[in-house]
Amino acid sequence: MDWTDDSEDDDNISWESDEEAKPENSGPPPATNLPTVEQEDHTGPSRVSPADPSRSKLISHFVGMGFVEDMVTKVIDENGERDVNTLLETLLTYKVIGTSTSSPRPSNNKKKGPDDDFSDISSVDFSDADYVENEIEEEDISEEDRKLLTLVEMGFSTDEAASAVGRCGQNASILELADSIHAAQLAEGVEGPEEEFPWTCWSEDESTTSFIFGASTDKKRIRRWSDIDRRKRMKMYSQGSRNEDDEDLPSLSLPNPMIGFGLPNGRPLLTHRKLPEAAMGPPYFYYENVALAPRGVWDTISRFLYDIEPEFVDSKFFCAAARKRGYIHNLPIHNRFPLLPLPPRTIFEAFPMTKKWWPSWDTRTHLNCLQTCTASAKLTERIRSALADSDDPPSHNTRQFVINECRKWNLVWVGLHKVAPLEPDEIEMLLGFPRNHTRGGGSSRTERYKSLGNSFQVDTVAYHLSVLKDMFPNGITMLSLFSGIGGAEVALHRLGIHLKAVVSVEISEVNRNIVRSWWEQTNQTGTLIDIADVQQLNGDKLEQLIHTFGGFDLVVGGSPCNNLAGSNRVSRDGLEGKHSALFYDYFRILDLVKNIMGKES
DNA sequence: CACAGTATGACAGGCACG
DNA sequence: CGTGCCTGTCATACTGTG
């Protein structure tokens, strides 16, 4: 499966285009810049030339993040100070290059040449003489030492790094070593030495680079994810430099591209995080809502949900339709795997019949977010007549009109000059549900659109939940809040995870019927209990349920987005809105479950 | 009454530009 | 760094129809 065929998209992966547009980025060599213990003697602003205030501020900022000053200086020299985002990307790229030389791939750790090491970072020019020179220098460091250095850079102690190499052998990859240390920490029940979230890496695929946040060897300099500093970094990461006055505003920024902690087939998938003590299970939990909520909403949600950083993912990387969502969960994030078969990932793959009628000037390869409303017949007729009356190809204005409406309403081409909204069963397919999942059972067409528009994208959610399969070979007991049409249930079922018991809370009777009907049709052998209102789920009721089922393994829920979604022109009131305030019920119930289960164990 | 159709912007992020 | 422009967004309220 090729996860890179988006490259012709207009929403190119930003670092690709950035790097390609800047061949001069081939600058500083990676190897000598591998952070080492010497790094601890680097200082802040004092060593920075005061000649240029903005420059020295920039340098000390990056140095404070754990980059070596020489490397920072060099990167600024080459890129200028204008685009902080580019600077950070470049610095991180060099860091990753350095890391990758010391971490052979798990499947291929034979002798390797430079090409092997860097083939996945094609956008950087390695013909640079500096690079060759430093590759030679790097040969002087033993393989084991390089791994130790990398682990230390990731925030582990030298003792832990050495023990991990001892346990896993010298041929183990960095990822395996990091996992081993993490597992050892969990087994011992001790707080990790480097606070939570020592580093995070988003990696994509063979043609892209990876990002690492906050790597540093200095314990005191490690930034807690929950600190305000992370906002600064996220802000820089996603938007470049901003007004300093904004820094106190509690506002998380969205990553671009929106790929969460990594995608299927991402290579190498260097993901590892340490959660705050209070966030850890049991039970595991998984919370979802729209990514583009009003300012401050995700900060609040994150603060309530034990300060876990949201994972923002756009489902366009999983299927043919976009769906930008934030997920907060305490699940492990390594060894994820996608649902099979992989769903169609472009419009043409999903709807081959449309290709015949698709005009060349409609360059869409993905649909936008599937919503609860669809275009009217009147609009599609306006489009048809506009095209029928115009030349071939149509004028710029006509094309623009048609394209805008097609994007806005997710229209597809079904005939000459003829566009149409998706049918409910087509949306079911895009979202990963079985065909006719919402059909029948007293569900009207409008209700189907509404239920589907409010649902999970199953493949995306399943990818995150896939880590549960090995952990619960005998199946799981789940509390599903705001179940809707059962996206989480379908995801777990498709993953082959047995559902021992599901307590489903859903206000809509139509949706409850859909889930019940699906449950019966898939011959589930477990128990399904449905409850209409989250308000009914008080401490007594939960205690009773937990007693009956021996606790919950997983608490899933996507609370209502009505007052958060951008489409809402009337009552986009944020988390305090009538519907979206139900988030607090999610938190209340999750916290109750944690407390009750904590007592019983 | 149920259902379908329709009109109804605000707002934030990304980008190019000066 | 500010500005303008473009783009995208799990929706609500009202009206018409049978």
Side-chain angles (χ1 to χ4, degrees), chain A residues 111-407:
Chain A
K111 182 184 186 312
K112 58 200 173 5
D115 286 350
D116 291 328
D117 277 329
F118 302 119
S119 56
D120 51 337
I121 313 173
S122 53
S123 51
V124 180
D125 178 8
F126 294 109
S127 61
D128 192 308
D130 280 345
Y131 158 66
V132 175
E133 191 181 309
N134 286 284
E135 175 68 9
I136 294 165
E137 279 181 29
E138 201 203 354
E139 290 296 316
D140 297 332
I141 310 173
S142 78
E143 185 71 22
E144 185 175 347
D145 285 345
R146 268 181 270 172
K147 283 180 186 167
L148 289 173
L149 282 175
T150 307
L151 289 166
V152 169
E153 180 202 346
M154 284 158 59
F156 299 113
S157 73
T158 48
D159 286 347
E160 283 175 309
S163 306
V165 173
R167 279 194 301 272
C168 304
Q170 294 184 17
N171 288 333
S173 70
I174 289 294
L175 179 57
E176 288 163 9
L177 293 169
D179 281 347
S180 167
I181 299 174
H182 186 50
Q185 287 172 354
L186 286 177
E188 289 171 26
V190 296
E191 182 69 20
E194 304 305 347
E195 322 294 344
E196 71 268 16
F197 232 93
W199 61 289
T200 299
C201 178
W202 279 298
S203 68
E204 233 241 322
D205 50 58
E206 49 268 284
S207 66
T208 61
T209 60
S210 305
F211 288 171
I212 292 183
F213 274 170
S216 168
T217 59
D218 186 342
K219 267 190 196 181
K220 297 194 175 95
R221 218 178 291 114
I222 299 268
R223 308 303 170 88
R224 280 178 173 271
W225 191 231
S226 49
D227 285 352
I228 190 81
D229 281 336
R230 54 96 191 258
R231 292 177 191 134
K232 232 193 280 181
R233 257 186 276 153
M234 281 299 284
K235 205 172 271 188
M236 289 177 56
Y237 167 50
S238 65
Q239 332 186 295
S241 62
R242 262 179 83 146
N243 197 336
E244 293 285 314
D245 296 339
D246 284 351
E247 276 183 14
D248 291 335
L249 287 178
S251 176
L252 275 172
S253 292
L254 302 173
N256 182 16
M258 204 181 277
I259 59 171
F261 298 142
L263 296 174
N265 276 14
R267 180 181 63 78
L269 193 62
L270 295 173
T271 47
H272 174 84
R273 63 171 180 174
K274 185 117 175 65
L275 295 169
E277 186 89 13
M280 297 204 201
Y284 286 110
F285 71 91
Y286 189 81
Y287 174 81
E288 178 259 14
N289 215 321
V290 290
L292 283 78
R295 276 186 189 284
V297 165
W298 274 106
D299 291 86
T300 307
I301 293 173
S302 173
R303 207 161 53 240
F304 271 86
L305 296 179
Y306 315 103
D307 251 339
I308 298 178
E309 186 66 15
E311 176 171 17
F312 291 106
V313 185
D314 188 340
S315 292
K316 76 176 178 181
F317 297 109
F318 288 81
C319 70
R323 205 164 186 82
K324 297 180 180 64
R325 297 292 181 268
Y327 306 88
I328 289 186
H329 58 84
N330 61 352
L331 295 160
I333 56 178
H334 56 276
N335 294 334
R336 290 169 165 179
F337 58 90
L339 274 183
L340 295 176
L342 293 169
R345 289 189 50 251
T346 64
I347 297 175
F348 288 160
E349 281 177 34
F351 308 112
M353 295 303 286
T354 65
K355 194 164 189 171
K356 180 178 176 187
W357 306 109
W358 209 277
S360 61
W361 42 269
D362 183 349
T363 56
R364 289 176 297 161
T365 58
H366 282 80
L367 295 162
N368 283 332
C369 185
L370 305 167
Q371 305 201 74
T372 56
C373 296
T374 54
S376 62
K378 200 172 249 179
L379 175 68
T380 57
E381 169 55 19
R382 271 210 301 275
I383 290 173
R384 193 203 59 78
S385 72
L387 289 172
D389 295 345
S390 72
D391 304 328
D392 188 29
S395 69
H396 177 263
N397 282 348
T398 307
R399 285 206 311 254
Q400 211 54 42
F401 160 71
V402 173
I403 287 288
N404 284 343
E405 297 300 324
C406 285
R407 288 180 183 275

Side-chain angles (χ1 to χ4, degrees), chain A residues 8-53:
Chain A
E8 66 222 88
D9 244 344
D10 46 3
D11 48 13
N12 263 347
I13 308 285
S14 63
W15 58 63
E16 284 183 329
S17 44
D18 258 304
E19 296 284 300
E20 272 158 20
K22 296 184 177 70
E24 70 271 24
N25 275 5
S26 56
T32 52
N33 291 322
L34 259 180
T36 68
V37 276
E38 300 162 28
Q39 193 185 342
E40 296 197 347
D41 80 351
H42 72 224
T43 53
S46 62
R47 275 183 59 191
V48 174
S49 159
D52 179 347

